[in-house]
Amino acid sequence: AQTVTQSQPEMSVQEAETVTLSCTYDTSESDYYLFWYKQPPSRQMILVIRQEAYKQQNATENRFSVNFQKAAKSFSLKISDSQLGDAAMYFCAFSPDMRFGAGTRLTVKP
Amino acid sequence: NAGVTQTPKFRVLKTGQSMTLLCAQDMNHEYMYWYRQDPGMGLRLIHYSVGEGTTAKGEVPDGYNVSRLKKQNFLLGLESAAPSQTSVYFCASTTTPSMNTEAFFGQGTRLTVV
């Protein structure tokens, strides 16, 4: 079975600074997708960014970007110019299994 | 635009009681999932369905049953609730996971078993 590991239970960043959240996964599949979801206190799950494994180019969505290292099975999320509204739980997810990591709680300090 | 709707939003059960959580989606999605979320453990997959009439076990299926009699509905049942099943439950749906599509989530159900 595929596994998704987030080794940072908590992270903190100063407002306007940059933070990187880590995610590693284990799979024997060659074709798959990776996602980062955000869960604010409202509990709603919000898609932040997605990456297709066959694409070498790292995905970018405004202030959010990923560093996808397929050989190392690593999929980190970089948040630039952090804002107070970025404070949330962040989950890395692997598809097609739809497996999730344990999450990283991000705190943004004003 | 209802998306994915979970019923109920909150529930308190006594040990040994049974209940059913309903998940309904109006996006004609093939795949549906039930997760439980516990502090420090992320979302763990309980059961999932790849289409009407089909279900499969996930990571933590014990103590739960599911049914997918209609494409739009995915039911999660607890036959005899235990305190260890106190959790927040999420339902999600997606088209074919092999396509690059996101999962859409319900708002969650907070279940407390006393």
Side-chain angles (χ1 to χ4, degrees):
Chain A
Q2 285 79 3
T3 58
V4 180
T5 303
Q6 292 179 250
S7 59
Q8 305 155 315
E10 297 183 354
M11 291 286 286
S12 180
V13 63
Q14 204 72 32
E15 193 175 5
E17 297 294 310
T18 296
V19 65
T20 298
L21 308 184
S22 301
C23 174
T24 58
Y25 59 94
D26 186 24
T27 183
S28 58
E29 303 279 346
S30 59
D31 188 18
Y32 50 88
Y33 302 90
L34 295 160
F35 303 85
W36 278 98
Y37 284 87
K38 170 185 177 181
Q39 186 184 43
S42 67
R43 287 199 325 227
Q44 184 63 40
M45 296 288 284
I46 302 165
L47 177 67
V48 175
I49 197 165
R50 74 189 86 191
Q51 174 77 42
E52 298 159 44
Y54 66 87
K55 286 189 175 180
Q56 293 187 342
Q57 185 173 4
N58 289 325
T60 300
E61 290 285 344
N62 300 315
R63 299 182 294 108
F64 298 88
S65 61
V66 300
N67 183 6
F68 175 48
Q69 302 289 329
K70 190 172 184 179
K73 295 181 181 175
S74 171
F75 181 59
S76 61
L77 174 69
K78 185 172 81 171
I79 306 175
S80 304
D81 185 25
S82 296
Q83 300 176 359
L84 295 177
D86 294 333
M89 284 290 292
Y90 286 81
F91 293 98
C92 177
F94 174 95
S95 181
D97 272 42
M98 291 309 297
R99 300 290 177 111
F100 285 76
T104 297
R105 181 175 300 280
L106 178 66
T107 302
V108 181
K109 298 179 180 178
Chain B
N1 272 4
V4 179
T5 303
Q6 290 182 231
T7 309
K9 292 183 176 56
F10 303 93
R11 186 72 186 269
V12 178
L13 282 180
K14 292 183 178 180
T15 297
Q17 285 186 318
S18 64
M19 77 162 294
T20 300
L21 280 67
L22 170 63
C23 177
Q25 53 94 5
D26 61 1
M27 297 171 283
N28 202 35
H29 284 170
E30 290 293 333
Y31 284 65
M32 297 187 74
Y33 309 84
W34 275 109
Y35 296 90
R36 59 177 290 172
Q37 182 177 16
D38 303 291
M41 305 191 77
L43 278 80
R44 291 184 292 170
L45 184 63
I46 303 172
H47 285 279
Y48 65 99
S49 168
V50 302
E52 181 178 322
T54 69
T55 62
K57 295 180 179 180
E59 301 170 80
V60 288
D62 294 342
Y64 304 95
N65 57 75
V66 288
S67 65
R68 185 103 180 265
L69 298 180
K70 293 183 179 181
K71 185 177 183 179
Q72 63 268 33
N73 295 338
F74 194 29
L75 279 64
L76 177 70
L78 287 72
E79 291 185 349
S80 179
S84 61
Q85 294 177 303
T86 293
S87 188
V88 179
Y89 292 84
F90 284 94
C91 175
S93 72
T94 184
T95 55
T96 306
S98 59
M99 299 172 64
N100 187 12
T101 55
E102 68 181 282
F104 291 84
F105 285 82
Q107 72 275 38
T109 297
R110 182 174 294 278
L111 175 66
T112 302
V113 183
V114 298

